[in-house]
């Protein structure tokens, strides 16, 4: 396997070390990291030292080395932190083709002999044990690779947004009203006032497309007090949000195609060792940049034709999970469902000009779940107010938002993409919690 | 003034427009944006149209144009959204050297004649009015420039972190315990349990340097229920956090110097028009990449020698604002105060090896305020537990954190930089609220 990225050294005494992946035969090095494994074969013993970049073999020829050094190196508990200085020699049988003969060995932080999980990966652990002990869990190549890939995704997504002329914004997470009213919000006590944790930057990003910024993106936390407890729901998630003036739903889908494709490309280009660690390097496919766009009306017919459901779907129905699965088999990994019925979409989604029962709202689907929700937004003040009332929301409570629609709000469109859903589907993870370092669900509030 | 960045067009009917800054003499264009100003001189009239990229003059020679087009163009209220198609001709007297003679003009979104603030910038508005109406406020060049610069800062900072081998992480904002105990936390109701909004990613980023990620950064919201109400405090802010295994306080300061310098460089290289809009292009200085590091003990002597304070400072005192100002006059824009007394620093800051009363904690100072707090962290389990107890905190409540220090926690160091403080000092803003689109303070919870 290729080495992981080796960070350049930061000057300063404690960083005066060579990453395992950079140690070459003939070098004198100091390596530091965790004791991955010790194998004592009698006259000779090996210690495998692990760092961010990979692993390196340290050789103890007992007759040749100082007794105390041998005793220290071979008695140290697994997962202790040590620092070793010595010379690097070629050794074809070693995992990286080289090994270190130690001159000095220092135990920097001794680990307890009993560990709550085994970072060598030899013993499997339950997900809950892994989440309770993420420090140890992320010493394993596979979970660590997920988070290196997650970082590569966010980097690629931001670059794609900037290539499309979007400005990064940050909007508040403490809010007076939820985006879609009072449901599914976590309440906060804010200096004696009632407030909530924001469930979506929707209204704020819309306010910004009416400003001189025109086209914006935000990657930040969202909070949903949903009582779901499934492998695909989180109560705190990372949302990738886009919104632009002067585009319609098709323009928003164009940008979304570019962003999702960029995410896959970024991982393919910058995270090959991580894909290998996850055994995904061979079947990882970068999308071709265009996803089919199929109106809801046709989707309903397609689902009914599959015979996957006991009862036929009718206009206005949401898609049950089995329908999504059946569609995935026909339509592949990514496809759009466009023109959802207006009644199932929130007030801020614009209806089509031809038929008020049909909206401009779209979803980007994956066979396992919905990845994105988007659409053109209602930018006409009177229609917006009417939409609030139709959904039983009080427009007065949202005056900070609606008022701006009286001062020249351009037509606009956008979407919100769940970062964890993107990573979960990209890497075919069983549980969305695998894509969050410290997930939050109904039971889990710590660490 | 140079034009602002012109975004590339997104394909699709509504985006079929030319940005003002890209219109060249001889082109046939469609421009869309806001009515900035209309000047009717009798036989001839001018409409200035404004978009994300800048402004363009639309000329109405009344005898030559269709009466209805003239009537529509000259009666439309300021800040309405319009779309104009026409031919571009050279006109040296026009603001951008060209003007558009319209063939068609469409009012896309009419604005009310009465506006809560004047986006042309001719009439000043109070900060509170501006914050209530950010959509209109950010149509002005100056406030808009602040947020384009903010985006450039975040981009440059992330690149600098990646250049130093750091992995981007996201840690939870809903937590069971605060970083420094129960003070200054906003309480949440989380499925019937007591929880809080996190005041710092401190403990989580430390848990990650003990994992295989080793060196991490996070840019995300932090929440502080401080009752301060000053021009330099926010109750929701953006924190730029860094943490790395195997470095000491000096290594952490090295990275901080690189990151702050990169932020200034990124703005200088990518946001010249925005610096011009803020009238900062002439006096904007990129730091030389090294900030003086002065121990607290010497700082106390320096302050006392300035005579700026009525009473002499003694060891253990915090620095009053006047002291920070006096030091700024001697030490310039950025300097470190290192080796703070252990007693004023939190439990997770490591003491120096020589003297337990002196810590490895440092602050990066600016004459106007403290920008950064950092230090080497206590990585030894027993010392960490003792530190909790010394500060009157119950280590049991933090077991998810302390436990990991028993399984091989490397020496590590890091810091947290307030994004808004960086931008406020970089651009010499009067009030930190200028650096946040929708700030949160004791009074302000909306928009």
């Amino acid at each position: 396997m290729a080495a992981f990225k080796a960070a350049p050294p930061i000057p300063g005494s404690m960083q005066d070390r060579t990453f395992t992946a950079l140690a070459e035969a003939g070098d004198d090095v100091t390596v530091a990291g965790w004791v991955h494994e010790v194998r004592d074969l009698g006259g000779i013993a090996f210690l495998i030292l692990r760092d961010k970049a990979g692993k390196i073999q340290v050789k103890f020829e007992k007759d040749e080395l100082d007794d105390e050094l041998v005793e220290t190196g071979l008695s140290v508990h697994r997962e202790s932190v040590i620092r070793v200085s010595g010379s690097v020699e070629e050794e074809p049988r070693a995992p990286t083709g080289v090994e270190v003969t130690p001159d000095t060995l220092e135990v920097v932080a001794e680990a307890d002999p009993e560990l709550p999980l085994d970072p060598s990966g030899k013993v499997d652990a339950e997900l809950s044990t892994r989440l309770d002990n993420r420090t140890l869990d992320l010493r394993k190549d596979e979970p660590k690779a997920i988070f290196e890939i997650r970082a590569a995704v966010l980097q690629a997504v931001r670059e794609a947004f900037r290539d499309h002329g979007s400005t990064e914004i940050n909007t508040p997470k403490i809010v007076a009203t939820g985006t879609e009213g009072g449901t599914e919000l976590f309440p906060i006590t804010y200096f004696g006032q009632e407030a909530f944790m924001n469930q979506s930057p929707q209204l704020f990003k819309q306010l910004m497309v009416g400003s001189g910024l025109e086209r914006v993106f935000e990657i930040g936390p969202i909070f949903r007090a949903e009582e779901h407890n499934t492998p695909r729901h989180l109560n705190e998630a990372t949302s990738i949000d886009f919104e632009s003036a002067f585009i319609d739903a098709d323009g928003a889908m164009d940008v979304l195609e570019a962003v999702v494709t960029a995410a896959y490309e970024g991982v393919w280009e910058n995270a090959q060792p991580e894909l290998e660690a996850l055994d995904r390097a061979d079947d990882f496919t970068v999308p071709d940049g265009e996803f089919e766009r199929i109106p809801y009306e046709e989707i309903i017919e397609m689902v009914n034709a599959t015979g996957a459901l006991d009862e036929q779907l009718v206009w206005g129905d949401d898609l049950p999970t089995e329908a999504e699965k059946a569609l995935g088999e026909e339509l592949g990994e990514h496809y759009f469902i466009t023109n959802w019925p207006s009644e199932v979409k929130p007030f801020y989604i614009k209806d089509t000009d031809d038929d008020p029962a049909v909206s401009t709202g779209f979803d980007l689907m994956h066979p396992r779940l919905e990845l994105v929700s988007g659409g053109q937004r209602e930018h006409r003040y009177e229609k917006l107010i009417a939409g609030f009332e139709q959904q039983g929301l009080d427009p007065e409570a949202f005056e900070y938002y609606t008022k701006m629609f009286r001062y020249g709000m351009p037509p606009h469109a956008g979407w919100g993409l769940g970062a964890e859903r993107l990573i979960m589907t990209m890497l075919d993870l069983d549980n969305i919690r695998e894509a969050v370092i410290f997930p939050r669900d109904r039971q889990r509030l710590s660490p």
Side-chain angles (χ1 to χ4, degrees), chain A:
Chain A
M1 195 182 79
F4 293 115
K5 276 180 283 289
I10 297 172
S13 61
M14 307 200 65
Q15 188 56 24
D16 190 13
R17 71 193 254 241
T18 302
F19 280 89
T20 52
L22 301 177
E24 289 183 12
D27 291 351
D28 283 322
V29 297
T30 297
V31 287
W34 289 264
V35 176
H36 186 69
E37 196 179 349
V38 177
R39 265 174 300 162
D40 194 336
L41 309 177
I44 193 165
F46 300 101
L47 181 156
I48 306 296
L49 180 141
R50 191 189 64 238
D51 67 12
K52 180 185 177 88
K55 299 184 189 79
I56 199 161
Q57 177 166 301
V58 182
K59 179 174 68 176
F60 297 84
E61 284 184 295
K62 295 185 188 171
D63 289 347
E64 316 258 315
L65 297 180
D66 176 72
D67 286 349
E68 200 182 316
L69 190 155
V70 172
E71 166 62 20
T72 307
L74 300 187
S75 64
V76 67
H77 298 142
R78 283 195 311 136
E79 297 305 319
S80 298
V81 176
I82 65 169
R83 182 183 285 110
V84 176
S85 295
S87 52
V88 186
E89 282 148 56
E90 227 166 292
E91 173 47 69
R93 289 165 297 177
T96 57
V98 297
E99 64 185 6
V100 179
T101 298
D103 296 324
T104 64
L105 186 153
E106 178 198 350
V107 177
V108 177
E110 177 87 48
D112 278 7
E114 296 282 321
L115 302 172
L117 69 77
D118 173 19
S120 79
K122 285 180 190 154
V123 184
D124 278 347
E126 295 283 334
L127 182 58
S128 70
T129 305
R130 293 177 44 211
L131 296 176
D132 286 341
N133 298 281
R134 272 297 208 192
T135 302
L136 293 169
D137 184 47
L138 296 193
R139 292 181 190 170
K140 293 186 291 189
D141 286 346
E142 299 80 0
K144 179 188 159 209
I146 293 171
F147 294 99
E148 295 286 5
I149 287 172
R150 184 181 159 117
V153 164
L154 297 185
Q155 177 183 359
V157 162
R158 288 195 196 94
E159 266 168 39
F161 279 131
R162 281 192 291 264
D163 288 346
H164 283 80
S166 317
T167 303
E168 179 171 3
I169 59 170
N170 301 97
T171 65
K173 305 310 159 202
I174 303 179
V175 296
T177 52
T179 303
E180 293 170 34
T183 60
E184 299 179 341
L185 294 167
F186 290 115
I188 315 167
T189 308
Y190 188 80
F191 298 120
Q193 287 179 75
E194 185 186 51
F196 303 96
M197 304 189 69
N198 205 8
Q199 65 195 142
S200 158
Q202 180 64 34
L203 308 186
F204 296 115
K205 66 181 179 166
Q206 285 189 260
L207 291 179
M208 284 301 100
V209 303
S211 82
L213 298 177
E214 277 196 30
R215 191 176 297 161
V216 297
F217 75 93
E218 176 169 15
I219 301 179
I222 57 169
F223 308 93
R224 307 220 164 167
E226 294 178 354
E227 304 234 333
H228 294 295
N229 209 355
T230 78
R232 53 188 198 165
H233 286 93
L234 293 166
N235 293 106
E236 175 174 347
T238 303
S239 184
I240 300 172
D241 271 276
F242 172 74
E243 200 76 20
S244 176
F246 299 110
I247 65 167
D248 58 14
D250 276 310
M253 285 187 269
D254 291 342
V255 177
L256 178 53
E257 287 172 339
V259 165
V260 170
T261 303
Y264 277 78
E265 276 171 355
V267 170
W268 184 249
E269 283 164 19
N270 301 315
Q272 279 291 331
E274 286 78 13
L275 288 175
E276 283 177 39
L278 292 166
D279 204 14
R280 288 298 317 275
D282 292 333
D283 65 351
F284 188 87
T285 313
V286 177
D288 69 1
E290 286 188 25
F291 307 141
E292 241 184 301
R293 302 179 187 186
I294 307 169
Y296 169 85
E297 191 168 12
E298 283 179 37
I299 287 284
I300 292 293
E301 287 166 21
M302 286 175 71
V303 172
N304 287 341
T306 63
L309 304 184
D310 295 339
E311 280 190 55
Q312 298 273 291
L313 291 178
V314 296
W315 173 268
D317 284 348
D318 226 324
L319 298 188
T321 308
E322 313 88 77
E324 292 181 5
K325 268 186 206 152
L327 285 166
E329 278 164 31
E330 293 201 20
L331 296 169
E333 205 164 10
H334 296 104
Y335 62 94
F336 286 106
I337 304 178
T338 65
N339 298 115
W340 282 82
S342 301
E343 66 191 35
V344 303
K345 285 291 173 186
F347 65 85
Y348 50 79
I349 296 283
K350 189 172 172 289
D351 301 338
T352 54
D353 292 332
D354 301 340
D355 184 349
V358 179
S359 81
T360 63
F362 62 81
D363 290 350
L364 179 64
M365 304 299 297
H366 182 279
R368 295 182 63 190
L369 40 67
E370 172 201 317
L371 285 173
V372 175
S373 211
Q376 186 175 341
R377 316 309 188 179
E378 181 53 72
H379 68 283
R380 297 161 298 183
Y381 179 74
E382 287 77 16
K383 298 264 184 189
L384 185 71
I385 297 293
F388 269 101
E389 284 160 357
Q390 269 164 32
Q391 296 203 357
L393 294 170
D394 175 14
E396 287 286 312
F398 293 85
E399 205 213 344
Y400 69 89
Y401 164 78
T402 58
K403 196 174 66 170
M404 293 302 134
F405 287 69
R406 289 163 43 199
Y407 307 130
M409 182 62 77
H412 60 284
W415 42 262
L417 161 62
E420 289 83 10
R421 291 183 163 212
L422 176 62
I423 292 154
M424 178 192 185
T425 52
M426 176 186 278
L427 301 178
D428 203 19
L429 306 177
D430 290 336
N431 192 313
I432 200 162
R433 290 163 184 77
E434 300 257 12
V436 189
I437 298 178
F438 298 110
R440 291 289 174 260
D441 61 31
R442 278 188 62 188
Q443 276 75 43
R444 183 168 288 278
L445 180 56
S446 171

